[in-house]
Amino acid sequence: MRSPVLLVIAHGSRDPRHAATVHALVRRARSLRPGLRVETAFLDFDTPSVLQVLERLADDGGADEVIALPLLLTRAFHAKSDIPAVLREAAARLPGLRIRTAEVLGPSPLLLAALERRLWETGLRPSDRSSTGLVLASAGSTDPEAIAVIADIARELRHTGWCAVRPAFASAALPRTEDAVRCLRSDGCARVAVAPYVIAPGRLPDRIAEGARDADALSNVLGPAPELARLLLERYDTARLRELATV
């Protein structure tokens, strides 16, 4: 029996760096699981769309079962509304294709490991934690659940030894990155680092970078970090085992 196809669903962006980063991440995940068919689709701006990929899979006989994985860090609007809607439409059009949905990526210890990997790439060292204030900068959301998750992650990071940790948001919620940087300076942190808690470049990550001008360090987006690639497969495996447990 062949394994379900893993369909990674990214948001999409007018910024070409976004799709390039998503494809690099998917390639890395594919390399970790030879033989697993992994496809990529986008909700908006980029192609192929989710429906295009699913129609192709149904037409070419490449799959009879798909696990759709939202490439999202929190369960906000896209995870609760957009993706379920497009998958319902696909299921109605393609009754011979079984479609299941995996959980969003966050929260996960692998995401925190990827976040710190990016911070160490700036030249910071683990021994710098106690004197460094950290801004956990996310894209932002109007969804209270998503905002609460970011606050929880900031508290969890604080317990790993950072001088202080403050969440910040590029849109929809406050504070902004620059305000969090100023607050950490006022808190007495010797240096301040900004860690974008986002997967790929685009307009909102650029806004985070702009707000980090007065910080001492700005890490890269999570991108195709090895921990993130492993997390894609972990979410796929969990969804598959959940289904097997109900059979």
Side-chain angles (χ1 to χ4, degrees):
M1 184 175 68
R2 59 188 172 189
S3 300
V5 172
L6 169 58
L7 174 60
V8 177
I9 303 177
H11 180 272
S13 171
R14 292 185 178 90
D15 189 324
R17 297 174 299 167
H18 177 92
T21 301
V22 170
H23 288 306
L25 173 60
V26 170
R27 283 195 300 271
R28 173 160 255 171
R30 192 180 288 123
S31 72
L32 296 176
R33 188 74 59 87
L36 174 63
R37 184 168 182 177
V38 186
E39 299 284 348
T40 309
F42 298 90
L43 283 176
D44 207 353
F45 304 117
D46 293 300
T47 57
S49 69
V50 176
L51 193 56
Q52 285 172 336
V53 173
L54 292 173
E55 286 177 337
R56 173 164 50 81
L57 288 171
D59 290 343
D60 68 12
D64 51 19
E65 189 173 3
V66 173
I67 293 177
L69 171 61
L71 195 65
L72 301 169
L73 299 178
T74 61
R75 273 186 46 78
F77 181 78
H78 296 303
K80 294 177 179 179
S81 180
D82 286 352
I83 290 178
V86 74
L87 293 179
R88 282 194 300 269
E89 179 185 358
R93 290 197 193 187
L94 307 167
L97 189 64
R98 188 178 188 193
I99 304 169
R100 291 180 280 137
T101 308
E103 294 294 332
V104 299
L105 299 181
S108 167
L110 286 169
L111 285 173
L112 298 187
L115 190 84
E116 292 200 327
R117 170 188 290 274
R118 296 302 186 221
L119 285 164
W120 310 147
E121 289 171 355
T122 70
L124 287 171
R125 297 165 298 177
S127 59
D128 293 325
R129 280 192 182 101
S130 61
S131 59
T132 303
L134 182 64
V135 177
L136 179 70
S138 76
S141 173
T142 58
D143 188 304
E145 179 184 347
I147 297 301
V149 167
I150 299 301
D152 287 344
I153 293 169
R155 283 191 288 271
E156 186 173 348
L157 283 166
R158 176 68 182 87
H159 293 152
T160 66
W162 296 95
C163 173
V165 181
R166 287 183 177 267
F169 307 93
S171 69
L174 296 173
R176 295 288 183 257
T177 302
E178 55 269 33
D179 298 324
V181 170
R182 282 194 293 269
C183 286
L184 288 170
R185 297 275 190 216
S186 299
D187 289 343
C189 299
R191 64 175 68 83
V192 175
V194 175
Y197 189 65
V198 293
I199 294 172
R203 178 175 58 88
L204 295 180
D206 284 349
R207 190 178 294 175
I208 290 171
E210 178 69 17
R213 285 181 301 174
D214 293 332
D216 300 290
L218 169 66
S219 58
N220 285 327
V221 298
L222 300 176
E227 296 86 356
L228 205 57
R230 287 168 50 202
L231 183 55
L232 300 190
L233 298 175
E234 183 177 288
R235 291 290 185 256
Y236 169 85
D237 290 338
T238 299
R240 192 176 181 197
L241 289 172
R242 184 172 63 240
E243 180 66 16
L244 290 173
T246 63
V247 174

